[in-house]
Amino acid sequence: MAFNKSLAGYFDDVQHIGIPTDDMTKTIAFWEKLGFKKLGEFDTDDQGNEVVFMQYGHLTLEIWTGDGAVHKTGAINHISLNTSDADAAFKAAKAEGFKLKDSEVQHLDFWDKGIKFFNIEGPNSETIEFCEIVK
């Protein structure tokens, strides 16, 4: 019999903070000036959009083009929490009645074996992502 735990038991840390940009070169230069280093860079579509992950110490940023930057307070798109089991976390979120922004666990080809993730909506319409880097 599987142990049923709350959604709080399915993440262990902040994984990254997501920030859309209209100018990747300028954005990378800004974060590099603050001491961040590029971890990875991926194409996201056939329109020339991309995503870059940058890290300083324990903090990782996901920066991407294609969605448009807000250019005002509130520009951060989402906070991602690290999970080792996105499927189980999704089931827990659904069972606990969280407002799901996805109808199922999503997949992207980032990193060596991809990622699995889903999003919930917080009380102020903020997006909280639960992300598993597939091992």
Side-chain angles (χ1 to χ4, degrees):
M1 175 182 256
F3 175 71
N4 291 325
K5 55 185 170 180
S6 73
L7 184 57
Y10 283 103
F11 67 93
D12 58 11
D13 209 342
V14 172
Q15 186 179 92
H16 65 263
I17 297 172
I19 305 171
T21 183
D22 295 328
D23 187 335
M24 185 63 81
T25 302
K26 182 178 175 182
T27 302
I28 289 171
F30 172 84
W31 290 104
E32 284 178 338
K33 190 173 182 179
L34 286 174
F36 283 73
K37 303 288 183 210
K38 195 184 307 183
L39 284 179
E41 187 169 357
F42 307 93
D43 291 331
T44 58
D45 59 25
D46 60 2
Q47 306 295 312
N49 292 307
E50 62 185 326
V51 62
V52 170
F53 289 87
M54 300 189 75
Q55 187 174 52
Y56 181 85
H58 184 68
L59 178 59
T60 300
L61 304 177
E62 174 192 27
I63 304 163
W64 71 93
T65 58
D67 287 337
V70 176
H71 295 285
K72 63 181 181 179
T73 300
I76 292 174
N77 177 275
H78 66 276
I79 296 172
S80 179
L81 302 176
N82 188 64
T83 183
S84 60
D85 191 342
D87 295 311
F90 181 82
K91 288 176 187 172
K94 192 172 184 177
E96 291 181 50
F98 284 97
K99 185 174 182 181
L100 297 166
K101 296 184 84 169
D102 301 295
S103 60
E104 60 187 18
V105 174
Q106 308 295 303
H107 304 264
L108 286 171
D109 293 331
F110 298 165
W111 309 115
D112 292 333
K113 296 184 180 178
I115 64 169
K116 295 165 63 172
F117 69 97
F118 69 92
N119 298 287
I120 64 172
E121 185 174 302
N124 303 296
S125 300
E126 64 272 27
T127 298
I128 299 95
E129 176 185 85
F130 290 79
C131 187
E132 172 187 355
I133 297 175
V134 179
K135 305 284 185 207

